[in-house]
Amino acid sequence: SGLCTADAGFAALADLVPRIVRNDLQLAVVAEPGSDPAIVGRFVQLASRWSDRVAVRHDADQGLLHRAIGGADLVVSPLPHD
């Protein structure tokens, strides 16, 4: 797992949310503590606009991350950085 940061592609994903929600898709963003607050904030704003399509948890522990991955049809995972 990793952090929600622009470098990991989450800013680009946030830009795509309006296109994603036009389809019959839902997006759950599960962010670890320490993620970029600006990126997480963008997802929170998007979730308030499309509450039936976008959900955000920004306090995820390993258990929640594993449950989210197990229940997902598609997983977008951040790129690891050294």
Side-chain angles (χ1 to χ4, degrees):
S1 65
L3 302 174
C4 278
T5 64
D7 290 343
F10 282 93
L13 178 61
D15 291 340
L16 292 173
V17 167
R19 289 183 181 178
I20 291 170
V21 298
R22 278 190 287 209
N23 297 294
D24 190 21
L25 298 172
Q26 295 177 328
L27 176 67
V29 178
V30 182
E32 291 184 63
S35 293
D36 182 331
I39 300 295
V40 174
R42 286 183 65 193
F43 283 109
V44 169
Q45 289 176 339
L46 292 163
S48 68
R49 182 172 178 187
W50 290 292
S51 60
D52 62 329
R53 298 280 182 188
V54 181
V56 180
R57 285 287 304 265
H58 50 83
D59 58 349
D61 59 19
Q62 288 297 312
L64 178 59
L65 288 168
H66 286 232
R67 289 189 302 277
I69 290 169
D73 292 324
L74 172 69
V75 175
V76 178
S77 181
L79 298 171
H81 284 76
D82 294 336

